[in-house]
Amino acid sequence: MQNGQIEHSLQQLYPKMVQWRRYLHQYPELSFKETATAVWIAEQLVAMGCEVERGVGGNGVVGVIRGMERGPVVALRADIDALPIQDEKSCEYASKVAGVMHACGHDAHTATLLAAAEYYSRHRQTFRGERRLLFQPAEEVTPGGAVGMIQDGALGEAEAIYGVHLWTPLSYGLAASRAGAFMSSADEFTIEIEGKGGHGGLPHQAVDALFIGSAFVQAVQSIVSRNVNPVQPAVVTVGSFHAGTTHNVIAESCQLKGTIRSFDEEERRRIHVRLEALLKHTCEMYGASYQMDLRLGYPPVINEEVEAERFFKVAAKLFGGDQAIISEPVTVAEDFAYYLQHLPGCFMFVGAGNPDTGADYAHHHPRFDIDERAMVHSARLLIAMAEDYAAFGR
């Protein structure tokens, strides 16, 4: 299968990609509620002549395309859910669903994978084996959709898996990834501190939950600076603090919410232990009690070295050697991590940022948009990675 043939076919499919993406952008659905989206995706796959597995891991859809000969089984994945954000763009394809929008590019991921499906359906005689195209629900909300897809057999007999995230911080034309830890884990904590309320003028008769919470927030800053290996990036952020009601009343309770980001499982566990130890010590020191709910999010995205090397080889051929770059580790989480715990593979960024077209807003911003031409690059990369694996294996 020649890169020129792939490029020509995908350029022909580009108007369809735009049409698909803009339709999905207008009719987004939230995580775990992607029922209409799943039906629509299945309809497109059936029209292409794909075998379709519905209801995989909830609202997941798997398209199966077999070549003319037996051979490797490779999986490609896209996420399909949207976010609870009001679309503030002024364009013909802005979301028609109040308070819901595709603010992270999942609509374009879906359109990209549909283009790969149509390409493979048209060129069954040119590849060996099986391609499994995973349209996954619920990437944006833990526990995520990947685990359910895996449990329901979405991977089948796959030997490798690849995924792409269109990424506006990266300029159109570039592609990036890295070997090893690429994207961080993301855990969440909610803490309730219970003190004893009282009169603002009589603090000695109260246990000030607001003060104790403040002391804890200060203590938390020591975790990364003094407990985490300096060569292991990590983040502990308290993002929400609520206590008290008025000027002269000492707060009886305090609620804090935050996030923990890490690239190493050992450091991740160490942060969890240290967080509660600091909380316990601070509350005991001032006579308060506490409850902590620590919710484990996605594990780190760990790209196997062999597969990362495949990315740099393939992307250099597709886009030029200076366009395939080594990404810094990114403290954003992705449940593609679960697939990489089961199969060798690689997660990759394709540049979709372009300030000239308004595609320069951050992911999850109300005016988020992409340079739609990046969908062709994304589809080319996914297909080329699959075919390089099929041709050369590991």
Side-chain angles (χ1 to χ4, degrees):
M1 189 180 297
Q2 300 298 316
N3 285 332
Q5 179 192 61
I6 299 172
E7 167 71 12
H8 178 71
S9 296
L10 292 176
Q11 287 294 348
Q12 288 185 321
L13 286 171
Y14 176 62
K16 271 193 173 182
M17 286 191 231
V18 172
Q19 181 183 359
W20 289 329
R21 183 254 169 168
R22 293 187 177 188
Y23 171 82
L24 291 166
H25 201 85
Q26 292 178 77
Y27 301 101
E29 293 183 299
L30 294 172
S31 306
F32 299 107
K33 298 180 180 179
E34 315 92 335
T35 52
T37 302
V39 169
W40 182 85
I41 291 169
E43 289 173 349
Q44 310 313 305
L45 293 171
V46 168
M48 297 173 195
C50 301
E51 299 176 33
V52 178
E53 301 171 6
R54 298 173 173 84
V56 184
N59 291 321
V61 179
V62 178
V64 180
I65 308 165
R66 307 180 200 277
M68 300 301 291
E69 301 177 15
R70 294 178 61 84
V73 181
V74 182
L76 306 174
R77 173 268 202 172
D79 36 20
I80 68 174
D81 54 325
L83 287 154
I85 297 172
Q86 177 63 44
D87 195 344
E88 295 182 0
K89 293 191 301 301
S90 297
C91 61
E92 62 182 10
Y93 53 87
S95 173
K96 297 182 182 297
V97 182
V100 183
M101 75 170 286
H102 276 290
C104 202
H106 296 188
D107 51 343
H109 299 168
T110 301
T112 292
L113 199 56
L114 284 172
E118 184 147 347
Y119 174 83
Y120 278 120
S121 294
R122 291 180 180 181
H123 298 88
R124 296 174 190 266
Q125 72 280 4
T126 65
F127 74 93
R128 297 184 304 111
E130 178 183 308
R131 304 294 175 265
R132 298 185 65 83
L133 310 183
L134 280 56
F135 296 86
Q136 180 211 298
E139 187 277 328
E140 294 287 1
V141 177
T142 58
V147 171
M149 293 280 284
I150 293 166
Q151 290 174 345
D152 275 4
L155 296 176
E157 301 298 320
E159 303 166 23
I161 186 167
Y162 304 105
V164 165
H165 203 306
L166 292 164
W167 197 242
T168 58
L170 199 64
S171 296
Y172 169 74
L174 299 176
S177 190
R178 67 180 294 111
F182 180 26
M183 302 178 76
S184 70
S185 61
D187 304 322
E188 299 174 349
F189 59 86
T190 300
I191 293 168
E192 303 281 349
I193 295 174
E194 291 294 330
K196 179 182 177 183
H199 194 288
L202 302 170
H204 61 293
Q205 296 178 356
V207 177
D208 189 346
L210 189 154
F211 167 76
I212 296 166
S214 300
F216 171 70
V217 171
Q218 292 296 312
V220 163
Q221 308 313 307
S222 70
I223 295 177
V224 172
S225 66
R226 288 297 176 266
N227 300 122
V228 173
N229 187 331
V231 301
Q232 293 287 351
V235 174
V236 182
T237 293
V238 177
S240 174
F241 188 119
H242 292 278
T245 57
T246 191
H247 304 78
N248 62 344
V249 176
I250 290 174
E252 183 170 5
S253 63
C254 173
Q255 183 192 73
L256 304 97
K257 295 181 179 181
T259 184
I260 300 168
R261 309 279 167 142
S262 170
F263 293 90
D264 179 83
E265 285 295 337
E266 183 177 343
E267 295 294 353
R268 185 186 187 190
R269 290 189 292 272
R270 182 177 291 118
I271 293 170
H272 295 169
V273 171
R274 187 60 178 154
L275 184 76
E276 184 157 17
L278 284 172
L279 178 61
K280 182 175 185 292
H281 173 75
T282 305
C283 287
E284 287 180 347
M285 183 165 55
Y286 295 109
S289 60
Y290 73 89
Q291 290 185 335
M292 183 170 77
D293 176 23
L294 178 61
R295 177 179 294 184
L296 295 181
Y298 305 149
V301 173
I302 309 294
N303 284 333
E304 192 179 61
E305 186 170 349
V306 170
E307 295 301 335
E309 290 175 357
R310 190 189 309 279
F311 160 76
F312 288 108
K313 177 184 71 172
V314 168
K317 289 180 180 177
L318 292 178
F319 312 128
D322 59 344
Q323 302 296 98
I325 63 177
I326 300 174
S327 174
E328 294 181 349
V330 180
T331 47
V332 173
E334 240 286 351
D335 71 349
F336 192 85
Y338 291 115
Y339 299 113
L340 294 177
Q341 292 180 342
H342 288 78
L343 292 174
C346 190
F347 197 62
M348 305 159 284
F349 286 164
V350 166
N354 185 348
D356 294 336
T357 64
D360 56 348
Y361 289 95
H363 290 252
H364 296 202
H365 190 280
R367 295 187 183 179
F368 175 83
D369 207 348
I370 63 163
D371 187 324
E372 292 177 318
R373 296 175 299 168
M375 293 189 292
V376 174
H377 284 184
S378 180
R380 287 177 68 197
L381 182 58
L382 285 172
I383 293 170
M385 290 290 286
E387 296 319 303
D388 190 85
Y389 178 89
F392 301 108
R394 297 177 55 74

